């Protein structure tokens, strides 16, 4: 293409992006078209990918496409396989994109659409995508070593241990909070519960099909499963209308929590082919299909966002979770902007498939941009709702009151119009008995998606769309729950194996049962507390998860910064150093406030003390007094957990500083563990199959 | 056009692991010297190993 034409095109992209962002940022009208969000995101991503990512790849990492990757050098036809870049991209994206980018933006929408949207865009292009790309690169240069191993090899044993323990704890909290999201979506909803329950036998059937009936026919089996899932959504509606069957699936949150805990244990002990693997196929297909459908629907329909740019809750009084805009929007939206968990996929897993280093930009940076786009769509789906409706669905009963009339009065007093009739009509349209206080983000996202799908593809089936959206969220939340419990079990077996080698044998059944039970008890505890908490639990667990995930991101960025410095690239160390500094500020501030804030809706200790005082003076109603001791203990535990995260974070930071200090002083360092250059034999006859 | 559809279908099969066994046979034939007297695994046996291996370690994220 002519050089000038290229320049003109990129200037046009930049202008369009700037216009779109100004439109989003400066809009103070009643509503704003969602197309501005899409345009802003597309332009920001395009510019960042074309210029920033390309510059990092060429000048900072100095990607060498003639160098053989581990997939080529260690090719064994099984886990190390040089693979077509689009296939690697697909695997990588499917692995990193879970329910996180859907839930976080929905919760953060309480501040208005603007803060979350800007953080998703800026955080992804300067933080998350950079983290994923450099981690992928460094792991590729180190025989696909995991983040923990790289931390140990390059920084020292402390960094390695921190990464390991951090990962384990995130897993526990993540599963608990995701379990809570599913419980809140199924609570007193026979339709949702029966549909989600049906996904289990369907997954097993698919598992049998591809294992025994037609071995290896993955696509056949999955297509069958997807059809059955769609039938399960319809069938759930039928069950909902059968008075005799309905009761079987109409349960309290606590009952559902116990069922999920039992299910989690069973899934972790069962062989993978029976439940986990087929469920993962189904969830991946449903996820990719639904996200594509949502993107098409938003572009076709161009819905309007009704949430204001900023709400009064930036002052910290928000009903969904307490805490000010800074730092809590950056904690609430982790996945979609920057997620430390991705570093675990980008190291260890993806590099084993990478055929050529030149694909690192597309896979590492590109896949994160796509996940960020999913987060933008979740933000749109949450904010197309009338703000009054959004708050009615997402505000816990402990904040707005149990009765519909009280909740409506409270939400109206904040200046958001909504009425009891409007909410009951909405619940009726969606085929639910009530949509009040359905915290956790899944129901409001499902209402948003249902209204978008309903307008784009026909309004007659709102209830069907709603429950399809719930099934879509639940199926891959449960996949994360299964997979996470299993990973937690492996990690625990690995750690305990150092003390008692027998327990480290992953196939020894007593060890499998014992360690699975420990992991399930860990997240089951937080899930239980979350369900009995009158404020909904999400307000406690989600920030804790955010802090933990950002802490892992900070560790990954420390490793990357340390390697950059050691490789003599100090002048470029800011590309990971800047997001690192920002994350450290955000995480430390959020942790400080979660521990020491006087506000009982923010500070864990303040909340524990307040509840203890109320319990002592006997002002609590009996049902609250009954659970109060557990809630007090949990708030204290959460405080200590937060302290632990911050200490781990700072230990790694100080260790990295020590490393950089030693480098500057010319002292000896741990050697760089990069594998020596070996020319690629695939480059010349590389066929894009 | 037909070629493009075929390519797309191949990518889908590769992505989902539907053709993993065919890939394994290709790899096996290619490295025949290393397995001088070995027979390739049956599709059933290969799929079992492939699936169990696929699920070791962190494969899914939040």
């Amino acid at each position: 293409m002519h050089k000038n034409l290229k320049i003109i095109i990129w200037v046009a992209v930049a202008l369009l992006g700037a216009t779109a962002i100004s439109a989003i940022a400066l809009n103070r009208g009643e509503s704003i078209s969602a197309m501005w969000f899409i345009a802003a995101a597309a332009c920001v991503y395009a510019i960042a990918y074309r210029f920033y990512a390309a510059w990092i790849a060429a000048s900072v990492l100095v990607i060498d496409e003639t160098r053989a990757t581990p997939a080529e050098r260690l090719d064994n036809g099984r886990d190390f396989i040089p693979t077509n870049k689009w296939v690697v991209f697909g695997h990588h994206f499917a692995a990193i994109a879970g329910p996180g980018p859907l839930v976080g933006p929905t919760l953060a929408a309480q501040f208005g659409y603007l803060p979350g949207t800007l953080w998703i865009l800026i955080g992804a292009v300067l933080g998350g995508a950079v983290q994923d790309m450099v981690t992928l690169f460094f792991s590729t240069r180190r025989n696909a070593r995991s983040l923990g191993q790289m931390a140990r090899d390059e920084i020292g044993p402390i960094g390695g241990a921190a990464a390991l323990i951090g990962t384990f704890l995130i897993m526990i909290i993540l599963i608990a909070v995701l379990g809570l999201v599913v419980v809140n979506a199924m609570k007193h909803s026979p339709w949702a519960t029966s549909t989600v329950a049906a996904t289990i036998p369907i997954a097993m059937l698919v598992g049998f099909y591809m294992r025994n009936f037609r071995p290896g026919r993955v696509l056949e089996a999955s297509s069958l499963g997807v059809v059955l899932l769609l039938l399960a959504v319809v069938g759930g509606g039928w069950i909902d209308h059968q008075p005799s069957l309905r009761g079987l699936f109409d349960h309290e949150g606590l009952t559902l929590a116990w069922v999920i805990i039992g299910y989690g244990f069973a899934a972790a002990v069962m062989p993978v082919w029976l439940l986990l693997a087929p469920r993962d196929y189904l969830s991946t297909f449903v996820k990719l299909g639904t996200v594509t459908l949502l993107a098409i629907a938003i572009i076709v329909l161009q819905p309007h966002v009704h949430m204001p740019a900023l709400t009064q809750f930036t002052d910290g009084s928000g009903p969904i979770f307490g805490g000010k805009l800074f730092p809590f929007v950056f904690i609430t939206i982790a996945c979609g902007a920057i997620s430390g968990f991705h570093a675990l996929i980008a190291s260890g897993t993806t590099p084993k498939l990478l055929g050529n280093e030149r694909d690192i930009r597309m896979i590492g940076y590109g896949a994160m941009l796509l996940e960020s786009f999913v987060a933008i769509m979740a933000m749109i789906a949450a904010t197309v709702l009338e703000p009054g409706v959004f708050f009615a669905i997402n505000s816990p009963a402990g904040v707005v009151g149990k009765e519909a009339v009280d909740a409506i009065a409270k939400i109206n007093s904040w200046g958001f119009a909504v009425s009891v009739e409007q909410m009951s009509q909405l619940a009726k349209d969606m085929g639910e008995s009530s949509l009040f206080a359905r915290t956790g983000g899944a129901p409001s996202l499902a209402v948003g998606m249902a209204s978008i799908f309903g307008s784009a593809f026909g309004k007659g089936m709102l209830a069907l769309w709603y429950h399809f959206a719930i099934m879509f969220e639940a199926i891959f939340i449960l996949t994360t729950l299964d997979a996470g419990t299993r990973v937690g079990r492996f990690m625990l077996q690995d750690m305990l194996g150092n003390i008692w080698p027998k327990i480290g044998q992953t196939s020894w059944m007593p060890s499998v049962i014992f360690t699975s039970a420990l992991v399930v008890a860990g997240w089951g505890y937080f899930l239980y507390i979350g369900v009995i908490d009158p404020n909904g639990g999400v307000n406690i667990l989600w920030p804790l998860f955010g802090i933990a995930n950002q802490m892992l991101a900070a560790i990954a960025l420390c490793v990357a910064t340390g390697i950059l410095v050691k490789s003599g690239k100090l002048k470029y160390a800011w590309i990971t150093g800047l997001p690192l500094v920002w994350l450290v500020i955000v995480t430390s501030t959020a942790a400080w406030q979660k521990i020491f804030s006087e506000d009982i809706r923010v500070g864990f200790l303040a909340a524990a003390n307040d509840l203890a005082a109320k319990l002592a003076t006997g002002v609590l109603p009996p049902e609250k007094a009954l659970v109060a001791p557990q809630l007090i203990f949990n708030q204290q535990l959460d405080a200590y957990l937060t302290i632990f995260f911050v200490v781990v974070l700072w230990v790694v930071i100080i260790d990295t500083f020590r490393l950089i200090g030693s480098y500057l002083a010319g002292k000896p360092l741990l050697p760089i563990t990069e594998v020596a250059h070996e020319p690629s034999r695939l480059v010349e006859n590389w066929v894009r199959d | 056009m037909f070629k493009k559809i075929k390519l797309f279908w191949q990518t889908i099969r590769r992505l989902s692991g539907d053709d993993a066994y065919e890939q394994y046979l290709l790899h096996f034939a290619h490295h025949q010297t290393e397995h001088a007297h070995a027979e390739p695994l049956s599709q059933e046996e290969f799929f079992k190993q492939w699936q169990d291996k696929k699920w070791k370690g962190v494969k899914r994220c939040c």
Side-chain angles (χ1 to χ4, degrees):
Chain A
M1 209 192 300
H2 197 271
K3 202 180 166 206
N4 288 338
L5 186 62
K6 272 191 185 171
I7 294 175
I8 291 171
I9 290 176
W10 282 109
V11 168
V13 171
L15 284 176
L16 176 61
T19 314
I21 292 178
S22 323
I24 295 172
L26 303 176
N27 169 62
R28 291 294 176 272
E30 281 289 291
S31 69
I32 172 173
S33 168
M35 284 313 280
W36 288 116
F37 290 71
I38 304 281
C43 295
V44 168
Y45 298 154
I47 290 173
Y49 184 78
R50 170 61 186 83
F51 297 101
Y52 190 47
W55 174 77
I56 292 176
S59 305
V60 181
L61 305 178
V62 194
I63 277 180
D64 179 359
E65 57 181 70
T66 65
R67 191 182 183 117
T69 62
E72 181 188 344
R73 282 186 287 107
L74 309 174
D75 183 4
N76 58 7
R78 291 182 190 185
D79 46 353
F80 285 91
I81 313 169
T83 309
N84 174 294
K85 65 172 176 177
W86 289 103
V87 175
V88 186
F89 181 87
H91 278 297
H92 183 75
F93 177 69
I96 62 170
L102 297 178
V103 178
T106 309
L107 301 180
Q110 77 163 352
F111 293 127
Y113 67 74
L114 188 59
T117 304
L118 291 181
W119 167 235
I120 292 169
L121 294 181
I122 299 170
V125 299
L126 297 181
V130 174
Q131 171 205 262
D132 292 11
M133 178 163 87
V134 297
T135 310
L136 177 58
F137 173 79
F138 288 133
S139 177
T140 303
R141 285 279 172 101
R142 284 161 183 73
N143 281 346
R145 278 207 198 109
S146 71
L147 178 69
Q149 286 167 322
M150 288 199 290
R152 196 167 51 224
D153 295 345
E154 300 281 350
I155 300 185
I158 298 176
L164 193 69
I165 297 172
T167 312
F168 183 73
L169 286 174
I170 294 177
M171 204 69 100
I172 297 285
I173 294 166
L174 170 73
I175 299 173
V177 73
L178 291 180
L180 193 56
V181 170
V182 181
V183 165
N184 286 343
M186 298 194 298
K187 195 160 61 180
H188 289 302
S189 168
W191 191 338
T193 310
S194 58
T195 305
V196 173
T199 64
I200 299 168
I202 291 173
M204 286 178 162
L205 191 71
V206 170
F208 266 113
Y209 190 99
M210 61 170 90
R211 179 86 164 190
N212 298 321
F213 184 57
R214 298 261 289 165
R217 305 289 175 171
V218 169
L219 282 177
E220 255 174 54
S222 307
S223 321
L224 173 77
V226 170
V227 172
L228 289 176
L229 284 180
L230 297 178
L231 288 177
V233 176
V234 181
W238 179 79
I239 287 180
D240 195 34
H241 289 100
Q242 305 299 315
S244 53
L245 292 172
R246 192 166 196 283
L248 288 176
F249 297 100
D250 188 357
H251 295 292
E252 291 290 332
L254 196 55
T255 320
L256 292 168
W258 285 115
V259 172
I260 296 237
I261 290 169
Y263 164 78
F265 177 73
V269 179
M270 266 185 224
V272 280
W273 63 266
L274 183 58
L275 189 55
L276 181 54
R279 178 192 274 297
D280 183 64
Y281 278 111
L282 297 181
S283 74
T284 307
F285 283 115
V286 171
K287 176 167 71 188
L288 295 180
T290 310
V291 165
T292 314
L293 201 61
L294 186 60
I296 295 172
I298 288 176
I299 289 167
V300 170
L301 185 71
Q302 312 192 354
H304 272 249
V305 164
H306 294 284
M307 183 69 81
L310 290 167
T311 65
Q312 67 268 42
F313 301 128
T314 49
D315 67 358
S317 60
I320 301 176
F321 56 91
K324 289 191 176 142
L325 179 68
F326 176 85
F328 286 100
V329 75
F330 306 103
I331 291 298
T332 308
I333 301 180
C335 317
I338 177 164
S339 164
F341 220 107
H342 293 187
L344 303 179
I345 308 285
S347 63
T349 306
T350 303
K352 290 181 181 163
L353 301 175
L354 191 75
N356 192 298
E357 283 190 6
R358 71 176 156 227
D359 303 334
I360 283 178
R361 172 168 67 130
M362 175 200 158
I363 293 158
Y365 202 92
M368 179 62 206
L369 293 185
L370 195 53
E371 162 154 304
S372 171
F373 185 66
V374 172
I376 290 286
M377 289 202 293
M379 180 59 94
I380 293 173
T383 50
V384 293
L385 299 177
E386 291 293 335
V389 172
F390 172 84
F391 285 110
I393 300 175
N394 282 302
S395 303
V399 174
V400 292
K402 254 192 175 144
E403 299 304 322
V405 186
D406 301 338
I408 291 294
K410 185 93 185 178
I411 292 162
N412 288 343
S413 78
W414 293 330
F416 299 115
V418 62
S419 65
V420 178
E421 296 73 42
Q422 194 185 349
M423 285 304 292
S424 24
Q425 183 58 42
L426 187 68
K428 208 168 153 240
D429 287 346
M430 299 296 162
E432 291 287 285
S433 50
S434 163
L435 284 172
F436 279 104
R438 302 295 290 267
T439 57
S444 77
L445 182 62
V447 172
M449 280 170 66
S451 47
I452 292 174
F453 285 145
S455 325
F457 306 109
K459 243 192 166 82
M461 309 189 296
L462 272 178
L464 221 50
W465 282 118
Y466 173 86
H467 288 95
F468 172 78
I470 291 285
M471 183 275 289
F472 146 77
E473 292 172 76
I475 187 168
F476 68 99
I477 284 182
L478 290 180
T479 306
T480 308
L481 189 140
D482 295 0
T485 306
R486 200 169 278 268
V487 170
R489 182 192 106 199
F490 283 136
M491 294 178 82
L492 196 60
Q493 283 185 311
D494 202 36
M495 284 188 255
L496 296 177
N498 292 327
I499 305 163
W500 185 25
K502 182 95 180 145
I503 217 162
Q505 293 175 7
T506 49
S507 55
W508 189 46
M509 213 47 197
S511 161
V512 169
I513 291 177
F514 174 67
T515 48
S516 300
L518 276 184
V519 173
V520 173
W523 61 256
Y525 164 76
F526 286 105
L527 174 57
Y528 168 77
I529 292 287
V531 171
I532 63 168
D533 189 330
N535 287 333
V538 172
N539 56 343
I540 290 184
L541 282 173
W542 193 262
L544 208 54
F545 160 66
I547 290 173
N549 202 0
Q550 304 297 47
M551 176 202 75
L552 192 60
I555 292 176
L557 289 169
C558 274
V559 173
T561 311
I563 296 179
L564 281 177
V565 171
K566 279 169 75 177
S567 328
K569 291 175 184 164
L570 184 65
K571 66 172 174 174
Y572 294 132
W574 58 267
I575 63 152
T576 51
L578 274 187
L580 174 61
V581 168
W582 177 244
L583 281 190
V584 171
I585 293 173
V586 166
T587 315
S588 305
T589 316
W592 180 268
Q593 294 188 7
K594 288 310 286 182
I595 301 165
F596 296 113
S597 171
E598 301 279 318
D599 181 349
I600 58 163
R601 297 200 49 238
V602 179
F604 288 133
L605 294 175
N609 295 340
D610 175 69
L611 201 56
K614 278 185 185 153
L615 185 65
T617 49
V619 292
L620 290 177
E623 79 273 8
K624 280 193 181 166
L626 202 64
V627 294
Q630 294 175 38
L631 294 179
I632 294 168
F633 170 77
N634 181 55
Q635 297 269 14
Q636 287 165 341
L637 178 70
D638 293 341
Y640 290 120
L641 211 51
T642 312
I643 293 173
F644 178 77
F645 286 142
V646 180
V647 169
V648 169
L649 172 65
W650 277 93
V651 164
V652 179
I653 301 274
I654 291 167
D655 213 23
T656 309
F657 267 109
R658 179 193 55 77
L659 177 93
I660 296 174
S662 306
Y663 171 81
L664 292 177
K667 287 188 200 152
L669 301 169
L670 285 172
I672 286 263
T673 53
E674 185 168 297
V675 174
H677 181 281
E678 199 177 297
S680 171
R681 285 172 288 111
L682 297 176
V683 176
E684 272 162 304
N685 52 3
W686 178 247
V687 187
R688 298 273 152 176
D689 50 358
Chain B
M1 187 62 196
F2 180 70
K3 221 175 167 182
K4 275 196 177 144
I5 293 175
K6 204 175 157 192
L7 193 74
F8 179 71
W9 176 239
Q10 275 176 353
T11 311
I12 299 242
R13 289 197 68 207
R14 184 68 54 83
L15 258 173
S16 61
D18 204 56
D19 68 347
Y21 185 62
E22 290 150 48
Q23 293 299 312
Y24 161 76
L25 287 183
L26 273 179
H27 181 271
F28 191 86
H30 210 73
H31 295 77
Q32 192 49 266
T33 44
E34 293 164 35
H35 319 269
H37 304 290
E39 283 288 307
L41 298 170
S42 71
Q43 178 156 19
E44 201 172 349
E45 200 43 50
F46 168 78
F47 185 68
K48 275 183 185 164
Q49 288 188 10
W50 178 79
Q51 205 177 32
D52 291 342
K53 184 165 283 152
K54 199 171 144 82
W55 281 100
K56 293 238 163 75
V58 187
K59 293 285 146 64
R60 283 296 175 265
C61 184
C62 30

